[in-house]
Amino acid sequence: SGILGVLAILTAPFEPLGAIFAAAAVVTSAAALITHLVAKLAGADVSWMSIGFDALGAIPGVGAFAKGAKVTEGAVAATRALELGEGFRGVTTIGRNFVGKAGEFIAGGKQIKLWKNMTVEFGGLKTAGKIISDGKIMNRMQLVSEQLYHGGQLIGTKGLKMVTGGRVAIDAMSNLGRGIDAGLKLAPKLYSIPQHIGEAVHLGDRFDQAATSH
């Protein structure tokens, strides 16, 4: 799922390839989530952090496939839907706000200043936007890509913009932005994959197991 996620980031501007990789990444994340939950219930040593990362990779994508991709406001949704073309449309949504950044179209909330550049707002109603499709499978897959990759990664361009209060804003779909997001997404895998492969195929261990199994 991690490798497919990297491929989805790199190919996001090149449709339908980006949408296909995005959907595949969500499917494998969902499969990993189910497998880890079953293993955890069976007593295996599976960390809740691993399960959490699986959920972060699967649940937002499944939601986008079923209900549409969320964006900051209705005008953004409408503009992006026009760019995507036939079969897409943008709508404005209104929902209850639990916690959000002050100024993000929240009405009736209570503002609390956390530090110099960050004020959050609790409660109230929040307006946002959503891109929805006509229900065709490929269009739904495109919404998965929109939700998970076009806005940037939290550990990457999206997070950098949030931390700097918007002073550093790198387009997630630019070559630089995709390079940052893909690199940060791949980095943990470069550490863990060789370790897991080594555990799976260590020839000495497998020979010993085979020799002592009878």
Side-chain angles (χ1 to χ4, degrees), residues 134-210:
D134 56 8
K136 293 180 180 178
I137 295 297
M138 188 54 69
N139 288 351
R140 287 174 178 263
M141 291 167 65
Q142 175 61 41
L143 293 179
V144 174
S145 181
E146 290 289 321
Q147 180 71 53
L148 297 182
Y149 303 112
H150 280 255
Q153 299 292 291
L154 192 58
I155 303 179
T157 55
K158 185 177 182 179
L160 185 61
K161 183 177 180 180
M162 291 173 59
V163 169
T164 62
R167 290 193 299 274
V168 178
I170 300 172
D171 181 4
M173 290 296 97
S174 67
N175 290 338
L176 176 60
R178 285 182 291 129
I180 291 172
D181 285 343
L184 291 175
K185 194 174 189 67
L186 183 61
K189 309 299 179 184
L190 293 176
Y191 171 79
S192 63
I193 288 175
Q195 179 184 6
H196 292 310
I197 291 176
E199 293 173 354
V201 300
H202 192 287
L203 295 180
D205 291 345
R206 296 299 172 264
F207 180 80
D208 180 68
Q209 291 172 7

Side-chain angles (χ1 to χ4, degrees), residues 21-179:
F21 280 127
V26 169
V27 169
T28 52
S29 291
L33 175 61
I34 294 170
T35 302
H36 281 150
L37 284 173
V38 172
K40 183 78 170 178
L41 292 173
D45 184 18
V46 179
S47 71
W48 285 110
M49 182 175 291
S50 294
I51 293 172
F53 278 124
D54 293 336
L56 286 174
I59 294 174
V62 172
F65 185 87
K67 299 180 180 180
K70 298 177 182 179
V71 294
T72 55
E73 55 181 299
V76 173
T79 300
R80 182 56 180 154
L82 286 174
E83 294 174 352
L84 290 171
E86 186 178 354
F88 297 92
R89 63 188 179 95
V91 298
T92 298
T93 62
I94 300 176
R96 186 167 299 280
N97 174 62
F98 294 99
V99 58
K101 186 177 178 181
E104 291 185 336
F105 307 98
I106 301 170
K110 181 178 180 181
Q111 292 189 4
I112 298 178
K113 190 170 184 178
L114 296 182
W115 58 83
K116 184 177 180 180
N117 296 318
M118 176 64 74
T119 301
V120 296
E121 199 159 349
F122 294 91
L125 296 177
K126 184 174 183 178
T127 62
K130 182 182 288 186
I131 306 169
I132 58 178
S133 77
D134 56 8
K136 293 180 180 178
I137 295 297
M138 188 54 69
N139 288 351
R140 287 174 178 263
M141 291 167 65
Q142 175 61 41
L143 293 179
V144 174
S145 181
E146 290 289 321
Q147 180 71 53
L148 297 182
Y149 303 112
H150 280 255
Q153 299 292 291
L154 192 58
I155 303 179
T157 55
K158 185 177 182 179
L160 185 61
K161 183 177 180 180
M162 291 173 59
V163 169
T164 62
R167 290 193 299 274
V168 178
I170 300 172
D171 181 4
M173 290 296 97
S174 67
N175 290 338
L176 176 60
R178 285 182 291 129

